[in-house]
Amino acid sequence: VCQELFASPFNCHFAKFCSAFPDIDCWFGSCGSFFDFVPVSGSYEVGPPYTIEVMDQMAAKLEILLENSGDDPLSFIVFVPDWRNPNAGYHEIMDNSKFRVADHLMKGNDHAYVVGDQHTSEKRYFSLPFATRVYICRIQ
């Protein structure tokens, strides 16, 4: 993995990332918004905000990126909540994707995220109380 596609200067792991506020975050390594980013090769971590509309748009965009990719390898590891009742649109897209090569369910409270306000928070990590689905999608 070479870049995060949803991050901020406060919670990014890699030097380059996509963010919600690229006009400000560009000074800290942001490559712009995920929705404007068009990678042609590489491996990317995708951890969108847990908002259904954003996750649905993210899943649709990943399908387009993979469908339109050239000869170079392109892959995404996607972390989304396993909201299934009713089944979320992003799950419909990801579960039925011809580019999905694997998926894994992580139970609630078995994993954590770096908090975005770690500079003011007493804790560096936030444990998720609900299950998270991890999808691996790639071409070549």
Side-chain angles (χ1 to χ4, degrees):
V1 173
C2 61
Q3 182 176 330
E4 296 154 287
L5 299 186
F6 289 93
S8 80
F10 295 113
N11 69 356
C12 64
H13 177 77
F14 297 102
K16 295 290 183 186
F17 56 92
C18 291
S19 68
F21 305 103
D23 55 333
I24 295 170
D25 296 343
C26 67
W27 303 105
F28 304 99
S30 175
C31 296
S33 167
F34 162 76
F35 296 105
D36 297 327
F37 186 65
V38 183
V40 294
S41 66
S43 295
Y44 300 88
E45 184 272 341
V46 187
Y50 285 9
T51 305
I52 297 236
E53 297 82 6
V54 172
M55 292 185 289
D56 288 350
Q57 291 175 26
M58 173 271 314
K61 168 138 185 182
L62 292 179
E63 281 292 298
I64 291 167
L65 290 171
L66 288 163
E67 191 69 50
N68 295 333
S69 67
D71 295 330
D72 294 324
L74 180 63
S75 64
F76 302 98
I77 182 165
V78 182
F79 298 85
V80 289
D82 198 47
W83 295 340
R84 299 284 183 165
N85 192 10
N87 202 21
Y90 59 90
H91 283 302
E92 292 287 334
I93 294 169
M94 304 295 283
D95 286 338
N96 296 309
S97 174
K98 67 181 181 182
F99 304 108
R100 180 176 58 89
V101 295
D103 67 89
H104 177 73
L105 182 66
M106 296 187 300
K107 295 179 183 176
N109 296 311
D110 281 354
H111 59 291
Y113 285 132
V114 174
V115 297
D117 62 349
Q118 64 194 15
H119 58 293
T120 60
S121 178
E122 292 183 14
K123 295 183 178 181
R124 179 163 166 76
Y125 300 100
F126 171 72
S127 180
L128 289 157
F130 46 82
T132 296
R133 178 72 57 179
V134 180
Y135 291 101
I136 299 173
C137 300
R138 70 177 169 90
I139 190 154
Q140 298 179 1

